[in-house]
Amino acid sequence: EDDVCAAQRFWREVNAVRTFNDLFVRVGHPIWDAAETNAALVNTLKNSVQKGYRGPPAHLPPPEELIRKHRAEYNLQQLIDTTKDEEGWKALLKRRWGIEHTDKEGQKDKQATKKKNPSSCGSDSKNAFQKYLQLELQDAIQQLPLCPDFPHFYNTLKIAAAHGLNQLETKLFDISSITSKYYYLTQSLTLLKGLESFKLGTTSRTHYNLTVPLCKALTKGLMSNPCLVRLDVSGCGLPKGAAPLKILISGLLRCIHLETLVLNGNSITQQGMASVCQVLTHTQIRLKQLSLVSCGLQSAAASDLAAGLMSNKSLQVLLLDRNPSLGVTGLSQIVYNLAFSPSLTSLSLSHGLPSSHQRLVSSSASDSAGQTHSLDEALAKFFSFNNTIMNLNLWESAVSGSFTKAVLKAMGKNTSLMHLDVANVGTLGATTMLHFGKALAHSCVLESVIFDNNNIDTLGIQQFYAGLFLKKRMQTDISTKPAASTNKSNKQNTMADIDAQRDARRRELLDLMSPTEKRQAEDAKRDFRLTLKSLSFNGNPGLSTHEQTVKVIGQVLHPRSIVRSGSGEGGGETEVESIEQRLTTLSLARCALSQRTAEALGLALEHNNTLTKLDLQSNSLGAKGMEHLALGLKHNRTLVELNFSNNGLNEAGGIWVGTLVETNSTLTSINLFQNKLGISGIKAVASALAKNTGLMHLDLGMNLLRNKGATLLAEIGILGNKASALATLGLKFNLIGDSGLAALGKALIANNSLTHVYIAGNNKITDKALVAFVHKLQEENTSKCKVDLAARLALIDPKRRQNIVWVSPLPKKITIEQIQQRAGGG
């Protein structure tokens, strides 16, 4: 463990070095000035030549010559004439552009194309061809500054147009060497009659803006293209004035099939927003998605946007993330008007209000009719009237003060909202959590709620429990029930006795009443119809050890039934009605949960038949917590993913991990990172792995395996199971050395299921052992298992080191793109 910490400190120091002076100081070398440093570098190069480290000086032809030579090798028309099938184009994509074109990507491209232009899609064999065609045209455009070969550009463009190219992405570049300036852009949009998606962007090293001349060229092309469905000009640096955006929008108004407009990262003023709203209100354009992320929108622009949204009848997705300058006023206007949208399904307002606005959430805003509304009134109206919204994202927007009783009551009655993200919205107090519980209990559609990092305390979870499960306070608090008898007997318990004890403990912890108790509490119990499938309370340590935390978890996870009084002639008959459990995902990471909570989870999961994913990372539940889970999951047949990382299992907990892996055959993914299982713990896990045939992903990183643990895992867990399904194995930061790596290598060669192994951070492995390990794996492993440190061979493998040239930072006038072009476009 000390070695791991030392290695982490070492790499932090290495990564902190930024200048030669910093390097000199750290290694205790006298500080050289620029001339001395340069002379030392030149001298180093001379020495490398004298000692034969370098070959003869290479002749580098100019970029234009290299580009033309490369194009001659990949003549597009010849390739079209000779390549007839899908596999041929896939091979060309990989050889020419280094891209693996999957069937999934091809199907996605095909569906997107078929939507507006069925004839251009053709057979399945055109999927990879369309991608190759797109990259070839994009390359012809991007090379114009270095190689202004316009005959080649126009020839490629005509071929692309003839074969119905429907997607194009290009970046802005320096046009000073091009006489026709932006005419290439106009021609591309004009000739590609089937173009449906066009994206214009900038490189990270350049800062070219969408100037007025560029906007005019783009607009002229847009006016000639009737099929455009999606336009993306994210981060193109639209000037703050209204003119450029106004010119661009004038061209878009001719694109009557436009469905998606992405303007992310462009500063949009009130005048610019007025132009955008022309698209929203156009009678022939049915815009479905509008993305205005990080556009610096002010409250004045919000007023115009709200008016445009009121008139629009087709918008389905609106993304307004990272616009904190909207303020409470602007946000209220937008939300209020969206209440009347007949089509909106997804609204994202994350980072919409900084925490400094928390005290202003009740301030008023005016709608288009001049009436004023606070943010909570706007939200209440939105939930009450909008019956199409399905996804609402309020992450990290300081709106917690707006969740009033009226707002949450309206949310509970909403008939369309399925996914709600209210993480990091500020402190959610007890009263707010009470109304959230009532809303979730009343909702008949809400499936996913995220409450992460909202300072929810014990009183808050108690009120959430009351709102979720109870119609009114019960006369006797459930938590005051007498505890189950814990008298121990010297007689050995039979299996029936153990089951009876677990049932009694389950009733006590999970608030499961006997039929008599249920009849007595019928007037207080809510008609249970919870529709939640995913619930997340991550990062709320205030939940801690409170009794109601245990009961909420138990009530949500345990299959329940309610007893209704009979209505027959006798009037005394009762009917037991089962309640459908739907929760599939539960996240309780970093909540400081107690072992009592782990016990409740284990008891509830024993009979749960819906939960598939459980996240309990960073809760310090310890070995006892894993014991409760292992016993509960012994009979569970639905949970497939468990995250129990950083829970302080130690070696004693490893024994129970082994029990879990051995007795549960449905878990496919277990994360045990940073639990210090040690040698005895990993031995138990290895023995269980030898019998398990269902587990596919296992993370044992930072568990102090050392060489002995790695050897046990390899010889018992991997080699001992010929029917293993294990595909991914994580072993990072485990103090593994050469002998442990060698044992793993032998096991992996004989194994046919593992596809990925992660061993980074094991700094006791020597370079020589790593090279031998990776080479042997590549040569003899039939499943082609990949190792995360294989990329490091470029630094340590002598054979590859001979083919690598190390260079100092590039001069300002030389770009990465120029280096790639000189290397043949690779």
Side-chain angles (χ1 to χ4, degrees), residues 455-766:
N455 301 317
I456 300 172
D457 57 14
T458 54
L459 183 58
I461 199 66
Q462 182 177 7
Q463 293 299 309
F464 181 71
Y465 169 81
L468 196 60
F469 296 108
L470 303 179
K471 286 182 179 177
K472 63 180 181 180
R473 298 272 183 189
M474 299 195 56
Q475 296 295 325
T476 304
D477 194 288
I478 297 170
S479 63
T480 62
K481 285 184 181 181
S485 175
T486 56
N487 294 334
K488 295 183 179 179
S489 172
N490 292 329
K491 287 180 63 178
Q492 187 175 5
N493 291 331
T494 65
M495 188 61 68
D497 291 335
I498 294 174
D499 291 341
Q501 290 175 7
R502 288 183 65 80
D503 286 338
R505 185 63 171 163
R506 188 178 293 108
R507 284 196 299 273
E508 176 198 354
L509 273 183
L510 309 187
D511 196 24
L512 303 177
M513 299 182 238
S514 66
T516 303
E517 290 174 316
K518 288 178 180 177
R519 284 194 296 272
Q520 293 173 350
E522 182 61 25
D523 63 334
K525 283 293 179 182
R526 184 182 302 284
D527 291 340
F528 195 72
R529 58 176 181 181
L530 199 62
T531 56
L532 277 177
K533 293 183 178 179
S534 178
L535 185 60
S536 177
F537 278 102
N538 296 339
N540 286 290
L543 301 184
S544 190
T545 60
H546 198 271
E547 182 74 17
Q548 297 300 339
T549 304
V550 177
K551 294 190 182 302
V552 169
I553 294 171
Q555 292 278 18
V556 172
L557 290 180
H558 192 276
R560 301 179 68 237
S561 59
I562 57 175
V563 180
R564 304 188 185 279
S565 297
S567 57
E569 296 179 359
E573 295 181 1
T574 59
E575 177 187 0
V576 178
E577 180 179 335
S578 296
I579 303 301
E580 181 184 2
Q581 295 297 303
R582 302 183 182 183
L583 196 71
T584 60
T585 302
L586 180 61
S587 297
L588 295 167
R590 305 181 305 281
C591 286
L593 299 179
S594 65
Q595 292 181 359
R596 186 177 174 85
T597 309
E599 184 181 7
L601 278 168
L603 292 168
L605 287 170
E606 191 168 347
H607 296 286
N608 179 277
N609 58 5
T610 61
L611 197 71
T612 59
K613 182 178 179 180
L614 178 60
D615 187 353
L616 297 173
Q617 64 175 305
S618 304
N619 274 301
S620 301
L621 292 174
K624 198 67 178 177
M626 177 52 74
E627 176 185 351
H628 292 310
L629 278 180
L631 291 174
L633 290 173
K634 181 177 181 180
H635 302 291
N636 183 285
R637 292 296 177 265
T638 55
L639 193 72
V640 296
E641 186 174 340
L642 173 64
N643 188 343
F644 209 77
S645 60
N646 192 24
N647 267 289
L649 289 179
N650 300 319
E651 295 194 357
I655 308 299
W656 287 106
V657 172
T659 301
L660 174 63
V661 173
E662 183 175 346
T663 58
N664 186 293
S665 59
T666 55
L667 274 168
T668 61
S669 176
I670 302 179
N671 186 347
L672 298 168
F673 188 85
Q674 199 175 354
N675 272 299
K676 302 180 182 178
L677 296 179
I679 304 301
S680 60
I682 205 63
K683 184 176 181 180
V685 174
S687 299
L689 279 176
K691 304 173 185 178
N692 184 287
T693 58
L695 193 63
M696 299 175 65
H697 309 285
L698 178 62
D699 192 342
L700 294 171
M702 202 171 282
N703 274 293
L704 304 178
L705 267 64
R706 297 186 170 85
N707 286 328
K708 187 174 181 180
T711 303
L712 288 171
L713 184 66
E715 295 178 352
I716 301 175
I718 300 177
L719 283 176
N721 189 348
K722 301 299 183 182
S724 173
L726 195 64
T728 303
L729 180 61
L731 297 172
K732 292 183 177 182
F733 300 104
N734 267 306
L735 307 177
I736 299 173
D738 291 355
S739 61
L741 187 67
L744 285 170
K746 292 179 181 178
L748 293 176
I749 289 172
N751 180 277
N752 293 321
S753 64
L754 276 163
T755 59
H756 292 84
V757 175
Y758 301 94
I759 57 173
N762 290 288
N763 59 315
K764 292 192 174 184
I765 298 175
T766 64

Side-chain angles (χ1 to χ4, degrees), residues 289-519:
Q289 179 173 338
L290 176 62
S291 185
L292 300 171
V293 177
S294 300
C295 286
L297 300 181
Q298 305 285 335
S299 58
S303 180
D304 287 334
L305 177 59
L309 292 171
M310 179 68 84
S311 303
N312 182 277
K313 306 300 179 186
S314 61
L315 195 67
Q316 297 178 5
V317 179
L318 178 60
L319 306 179
L320 293 174
D321 308 281
R322 299 185 181 277
N323 283 292
S325 298
L326 280 173
V328 178
T329 303
L331 204 59
S332 300
Q333 288 176 311
I334 292 171
V335 172
Y336 188 90
N337 282 13
L338 284 173
F340 306 100
S341 171
S343 55
L344 189 72
T345 60
S346 183
L347 174 62
S348 186
L349 300 170
S350 68
H351 292 84
L353 287 178
S355 57
S356 59
H357 287 191
Q358 183 68 50
R359 66 183 185 277
L360 302 174
V361 292
S362 60
S363 62
S364 299
S366 300
D367 65 5
S368 57
Q371 297 177 325
T372 59
H373 309 282
S374 62
L375 183 55
D376 54 338
E377 290 175 337
L379 284 169
K381 180 70 71 172
F382 179 78
F383 288 130
S384 299
F385 282 77
N386 190 300
N387 58 4
T388 59
I389 187 69
M390 298 174 64
N391 303 288
L392 178 59
N393 179 10
L394 296 171
W395 177 61
E396 210 158 310
S397 289
V399 295
S400 59
S402 294
F403 291 126
T404 62
K405 179 179 179 180
V407 170
L408 294 176
K409 185 176 181 180
M411 188 185 78
K413 293 181 179 180
N414 187 280
T415 58
S416 60
L417 185 64
M418 298 176 66
H419 307 285
L420 176 66
D421 188 343
V422 288
N424 295 75
V425 297
T427 300
L428 295 179
T431 304
T432 304
M433 291 306 296
L434 171 67
H435 297 308
F436 257 116
K438 290 181 177 180
L440 294 181
H442 279 111
S443 175
C444 58
V445 292
L446 200 56
E447 295 182 354
S448 171
V449 184
I450 302 175
F451 287 113
D452 297 354
N453 306 312
N454 282 318
N455 301 317
I456 300 172
D457 57 14
T458 54
L459 183 58
I461 199 66
Q462 182 177 7
Q463 293 299 309
F464 181 71
Y465 169 81
L468 196 60
F469 296 108
L470 303 179
K471 286 182 179 177
K472 63 180 181 180
R473 298 272 183 189
M474 299 195 56
Q475 296 295 325
T476 304
D477 194 288
I478 297 170
S479 63
T480 62
K481 285 184 181 181
S485 175
T486 56
N487 294 334
K488 295 183 179 179
S489 172
N490 292 329
K491 287 180 63 178
Q492 187 175 5
N493 291 331
T494 65
M495 188 61 68
D497 291 335
I498 294 174
D499 291 341
Q501 290 175 7
R502 288 183 65 80
D503 286 338
R505 185 63 171 163
R506 188 178 293 108
R507 284 196 299 273
E508 176 198 354
L509 273 183
L510 309 187
D511 196 24
L512 303 177
M513 299 182 238
S514 66
T516 303
E517 290 174 316
K518 288 178 180 177
R519 284 194 296 272

